[in-house]
Amino acid sequence: MSTTPLPGLVLRGIQAPLPLADFKLIAFDMDSTLINIECIDEIADAVGKKAEVAAITEATMRGEIADFRESLRRRVALLEGVPVEALQQVYDQRLQLNPGADILVAACKAAGMKVLLVSGGFTFFANRVKDRLGIDFARSNLLDERGGKLTGRIVEQSWGAICDGAEKRRTLIEVASLMGISPQQAIAVGDGANDLPMMGEAGLSVAYHAKPKVREQAKVSIEEGGLDRLLEVLA
């Protein structure tokens, strides 16, 4: 059952307003959620492979390719030979925060919440977005490079090789545990199929201009306007 108290904002199984004080942690996906682009697609543009990579990205986010790890490896392999400076060009020229991202993050921090960025994208962008928004913690994938060029591989980090849906879920649970809270005291915001595991664990799941499969399962679906529309649901 769904209700629509305001145009472009769909609630399922909940009644607004929800007390903001009930939540201590908010976890965001990055690409197409906090920011306006899929970074991997824009990097691929540097070697004329954007269409090929973007098609795989779209199918993965829609849930049509179930194995995110294999999908990511396939796409990253196509980036072999891309100059590392292309990442900075993508950040400077193409990456923008999605509307309301700064407002929502600032409101959550003002309420005493911790803010987590957990992304199937890359540390080059995640760390910059983290610093830009004052986010507390970020986890994402690390692109391998050699001689100033990408190798087409992903570097294994202390927590594992690839931040996929399962790792997003695990990270949310881990951070909640370290904070001494239940995952039910967390909010998870995303747009793609690989966000569903963490969204399913959180007390409040939020879809932002999301793929149909994600909209259908989220408790809140923001279908018009910016991320700060979530504040219409919280009090």
Side-chain angles (χ1 to χ4, degrees), residues 182-193:
S182 161
Q184 289 298 301
Q185 293 173 279
I187 300 170
V189 187
D191 75 299

Side-chain angles (χ1 to χ4, degrees), residues 201-216:
E201 203 67 43
L204 182 64
S205 54
V206 181
Y208 178 70
H209 294 269
K211 306 304 180 190
K213 184 176 180 180
V214 182
R215 291 201 307 267
E216 291 162 6

